[in-house]
Amino acid sequence: MNEFVIRPDPLDPRLTERVEGIDQTGQQIETRVTVERALTIFLNSQEIVTAMTINDYPEYLALGYLLNQHMLRSDDTVTGVDYDEELAVVVVRTKRKTNYEKKLKKKVQTSGCAQGTVFGDLMEALEGVTLPDAELRTSWLYRLTHQINTTPSLYLEAGAIHGCVLAQEDRPLVYMEDVGRHNAVDKIAGWMFKHGVPARDKIFYTTGRLTSEMIIKTVRMGIPILVSRSGFTAWGVELARRANLTLIGRARGKRFIALSGEHRIVFDQDLAYVEEESAKHRRKAAVHDD
Amino acid sequence: MNEFVIRPDPLDPRLTERVEGIDQTGQQIETRVTVERALTIFLNSQEIVTAMTINDYPEYLALGYLLNQHMLRSDDTVTGVDYDEELAVVVVRTKRKTNYEKKLKKKVQTSGCAQGTVFGDLMEALEGVTLPDAELRTSWLYRLTHQINTTPSLYLEAGAIHGCVLAQEDRPLVYMEDVGRHNAVDKIAGWMFKHGVPARDKIFYTTGRLTSEMIIKTVRMGIPILVSRSGFTAWGVELARRANLTLIGRARGKRFIALSGEHRIVFDQDLAYVEEESAKHRRKAAVHDD
């Protein structure tokens, strides 16, 4: 598993807390729960947002959040990212002068969390983006999901957390987890920006639902293929089709369904050699939610 | 199952859409996906928020949203709730004059979706609320979760949806589903407000994670017991303990864990007579997320 550049560290003591309680027999037990920390993101002198996060990568989170909100442009020169652990503040500084106060007043709430908007605005967000040709071999897909599912993670350790993986062919590169799914995505976007990693040959994997926000973030990042072990929503499918995104959901064991961009899929895997998910993993997976 | 006052109607054609795609063998398939619709909520003359919802109960959603945001008070006189399907707008009118424009500018983003805030503010939200004494018999809990799990739902039909249930003893009363979990909660709050249903003897069940928002909404609604099949976050546990809320998570088959308010639990069920979740349900459950 040396393919990962970043992978979860479930043993990092900062990411979980031990708590005491009782189980169904009334016995005292001790268990681990995922932490949430408030992190305030500034762009230059303006306070932009306070996110609740496990806070393992505050700098990638800040960069990715600002990119995905279109407050930071892909061609911006970032002159510094300063994280103050004590204040729980991260400041992104750019060469370009920025002023986003007005933008912040327009927030509305969507099913997939955070700032969203109505369908027309959603479509607008995708205008001008053309996703590249790319290929998804089913043999890659099965090796990739098997690796992700068997990698130790906070999710397997404490549950109640989202995971996202940036992959290339059958290799997972960056596996981020967070209490908010959008944070996990943003941390990957921040990592790609910081290291100048191209999107055109990548595959994005998420444990969460394929909502409109998830589609929009993936398309804006320029990644042509999105895979999830979870289900679809109608707007998510509609947006993916308009953006020509390959959208694969309910990917578990042998199974998956593609509802958009099927032309990128190459069926090179003999399904007789693909294992179903183990009962152990399936049971664990059921804890995954939200 | 005549206990339900409201339960999911997975056959309602407005709630799902048929879409075509392909499966892992490359075969053309047809599947159902949950709809999302934009609904704009007004309080008197002010536009408050646009929510994405399955839109089965726009009036309960509007009332519950405003209540849970403290824009509508429990003692307010509602003079009308007007829903315009074509405009996708619902207007809640109150006798009291309202003005919440300022409040809307303070939105920040949290892990559990929507408007949140930092821990100190979260604590403040719970000040002055005292949860009542109440009892949760484990025999109720097992009958309740078994009924919820075996009730036909959009979740079982199309996945990618949240469910919340308001229950009394071992009886589920109102089972709401929505693409956004907070919507499902708000619809229940709206139903309780509309019908003057007391909270003190109720149990709240959610399919989603026990995040800080979920705890806060439950406590503000005055419900003393919160149960989930999913996991905990650290702030959620901390808030539940300070609010004296009975918090039960990872409730599957025989198992559960209580991390707060254990004193309300009465262990009257002989565990030898409780079934584990069936493999069928477990597998289905694994699709549940977000």
Side-chain angles (χ1 to χ4, degrees):
Chain A
M1 295 271 225
N2 52 14
E3 294 93 340
F4 285 102
V5 180
I6 295 181
R7 53 189 285 184
D9 180 7
L11 301 179
D12 184 338
R14 293 169 304 176
L15 304 185
T16 57
E17 270 178 30
R18 289 225 155 261
V19 289
E20 290 188 352
I22 58 175
D23 69 8
Q24 69 276 2
T25 67
Q27 293 295 306
Q28 199 84 36
I29 52 112
E30 211 184 55
T31 189
R32 284 171 69 177
V33 297
T34 311
V35 302
E36 310 180 77
R37 293 194 171 87
L39 176 71
T40 301
I41 299 170
F42 279 74
L43 177 56
N44 296 310
S45 59
Q46 268 176 322
E47 182 179 330
I48 301 295
V49 77
T50 297
M52 287 194 204
T53 169
I54 60 172
N55 208 28
D56 51 349
Y57 293 101
E59 298 175 21
Y60 292 147
L61 177 59
L63 287 171
Y65 178 87
L66 295 171
L67 277 169
N68 281 335
Q69 295 296 322
H70 277 209
M71 294 178 185
L72 187 65
R73 300 182 197 150
S74 55
D75 61 353
D76 264 329
T77 304
V78 172
T79 55
V81 183
D82 300 319
Y83 170 55
D84 185 315
E85 191 175 348
E86 209 171 330
L87 297 176
V89 161
V90 58
V91 184
V92 174
R93 297 182 209 282
T94 58
K95 204 168 158 185
R96 178 172 62 95
K97 279 191 181 147
T98 57
N99 186 3
Y100 288 102
E101 213 189 340
K102 271 192 192 144
K103 196 160 181 176
L104 289 176
K105 288 183 186 157
K106 282 183 60 187
K107 286 181 196 176
V108 296
Q109 169 181 8
T110 69
S111 61
C113 307
Q115 303 91 329
T117 177
V118 293
F119 196 79
D121 294 339
L122 293 182
M123 281 309 304
E124 217 174 276
L126 298 183
E127 264 170 34
V129 181
T130 308
L131 289 176
D133 284 339
E135 183 177 284
L136 175 68
R137 299 190 193 166
T138 55
S139 60
W140 299 346
L141 180 66
Y142 290 120
R143 280 203 292 274
L144 195 58
T145 52
H146 179 76
Q147 274 201 70
I148 293 168
N149 289 343
T150 53
T151 297
S153 62
L154 279 171
Y155 163 61
L156 289 172
E157 186 67 37
I161 198 159
H162 278 290
C164 286
V165 182
L166 182 74
Q168 186 168 9
E169 299 186 350
D170 60 353
R171 298 185 305 278
L173 300 176
V174 175
Y175 183 168
M176 291 288 193
E177 294 185 292
D178 213 302
V179 283
R181 179 177 42 169
H182 42 91
N183 291 344
V185 183
D186 289 346
K187 287 190 286 195
I188 288 181
W191 180 84
M192 290 174 76
F193 175 82
K194 174 91 184 244
H195 301 287
V197 174
R200 63 181 174 277
D201 56 351
K202 298 299 183 297
I203 299 163
F204 204 83
Y205 174 93
T206 171
T207 55
R209 286 181 298 169
L210 296 163
T211 57
S212 42
E213 276 92 351
M214 199 62 222
I215 297 347
I216 288 171
K217 289 208 175 193
T218 307
V219 173
R220 279 187 171 172
M221 286 161 77
I223 298 174
I225 297 159
L226 175 60
V227 178
S228 171
R229 58 183 289 110
S230 301
F232 304 88
T233 63
W235 279 14
V237 173
E238 180 65 26
L239 285 168
R241 288 175 175 180
R242 297 208 195 180
N244 185 32
L245 174 73
T246 296
L247 189 68
I248 291 179
R250 305 182 196 159
R252 287 152 192 271
K254 267 186 218 291
R255 295 173 191 219
F256 68 80
I257 289 176
L259 294 182
S260 169
E262 297 93 330
H263 61 276
R264 290 197 185 86
I265 304 173
V266 178
F267 292 87
D268 68 332
Q269 173 70 52
D270 181 344
L271 292 178
Y273 295 93
V274 180
E275 280 178 40
E276 291 295 349
E277 284 191 345
S278 70
K280 175 173 175 288
H281 185 261
R282 197 160 61 223
R283 195 167 58 244
K284 285 282 195 180
V287 183
H288 198 277
D289 55 278
D290 223 54
Chain B
M1 297 270 226
N2 53 14
E3 292 95 340
F4 286 100
V5 180
I6 294 181
R7 54 188 284 183
D9 180 8
L11 300 180
D12 184 337
R14 294 169 303 176
L15 304 185
T16 56
E17 271 178 30
R18 289 226 155 260
V19 289
E20 290 187 352
I22 58 175
D23 70 6
Q24 69 277 0
T25 67
Q27 294 295 306
Q28 199 85 37
I29 53 112
E30 212 183 54
T31 188
R32 284 170 70 178
V33 297
T34 312
V35 302
E36 311 181 76
R37 293 192 172 87
L39 176 72
T40 300
I41 300 171
F42 279 74
L43 177 56
N44 297 308
S45 60
Q46 268 176 323
E47 182 179 331
I48 302 295
V49 78
T50 297
M52 286 193 205
T53 170
I54 60 172
N55 208 27
D56 52 349
Y57 293 101
E59 297 174 24
Y60 292 147
L61 177 59
L63 287 171
Y65 178 86
L66 295 171
L67 277 169
N68 281 336
Q69 295 296 320
H70 278 207
M71 294 178 186
L72 187 66
R73 301 182 197 149
S74 54
D75 62 352
D76 264 328
T77 305
V78 172
T79 55
V81 183
D82 301 319
Y83 170 54
D84 186 316
E85 190 174 349
E86 208 172 331
L87 295 177
V89 161
V90 57
V91 184
V92 175
R93 296 180 209 284
T94 57
K95 202 167 161 187
R96 176 173 62 94
K97 281 194 179 142
T98 56
N99 186 3
Y100 288 102
E101 213 189 339
K102 272 193 192 143
K103 196 162 181 177
L104 290 176
K105 291 183 186 158
K106 280 183 61 188
K107 287 181 193 175
V108 294
Q109 169 182 9
T110 68
S111 62
C113 305
Q115 304 90 330
T117 177
V118 292
F119 196 79
D121 294 339
L122 293 181
M123 282 309 304
E124 217 173 276
L126 299 183
E127 263 171 34
V129 181
T130 308
L131 289 176
D133 284 339
E135 183 176 284
L136 175 69
R137 297 189 195 166
T138 55
S139 58
W140 299 345
L141 181 66
Y142 291 118
R143 280 202 291 274
L144 196 57
T145 52
H146 179 77
Q147 275 201 71
I148 294 168
N149 289 343
T150 54
T151 296
S153 62
L154 280 172
Y155 163 61
L156 289 173
E157 186 67 38
I161 198 160
H162 277 289
C164 286
V165 182
L166 183 75
Q168 187 168 10
E169 298 185 350
D170 60 353
R171 298 185 305 279
L173 301 175
V174 175
Y175 184 168
M176 292 286 193
E177 295 185 292
D178 213 301
V179 282
R181 179 176 44 171
H182 41 92
N183 291 343
V185 183
D186 289 345
K187 287 190 287 195
I188 288 182
W191 179 85
M192 291 174 74
F193 175 82
K194 175 91 184 243
H195 302 286
V197 174
R200 62 180 174 277
D201 56 352
K202 297 301 183 297
I203 299 162
F204 204 82
Y205 174 92
T206 172
T207 56
R209 288 181 298 170
L210 297 164
T211 57
S212 42
E213 275 92 352
M214 199 62 222
I215 296 352
I216 288 170
K217 289 207 173 192
T218 308
V219 172
R220 279 186 172 173
M221 286 161 78
I223 299 174
I225 297 159
L226 175 60
V227 178
S228 171
R229 56 183 292 110
S230 300
F232 304 88
T233 63
W235 278 16
V237 173
E238 180 64 26
L239 286 168
R241 287 176 176 179
R242 296 206 196 182
N244 186 32
L245 174 73
T246 296
L247 189 68
I248 291 179
R250 304 181 196 158
R252 286 152 193 270
K254 269 186 216 291
R255 296 173 190 218
F256 69 79
I257 289 176
L259 294 182
S260 170
E262 296 93 328
H263 61 276
R264 290 196 187 86
I265 305 172
V266 178
F267 292 88
D268 69 334
Q269 174 70 53
D270 182 342
L271 293 178
Y273 295 92
V274 180
E275 279 178 39
E276 290 296 347
E277 284 191 344
S278 70
K280 175 172 176 292
H281 185 261
R282 198 160 60 223
R283 195 167 57 245
K284 286 280 195 182
V287 183
H288 198 279
D289 55 280
D290 227 50

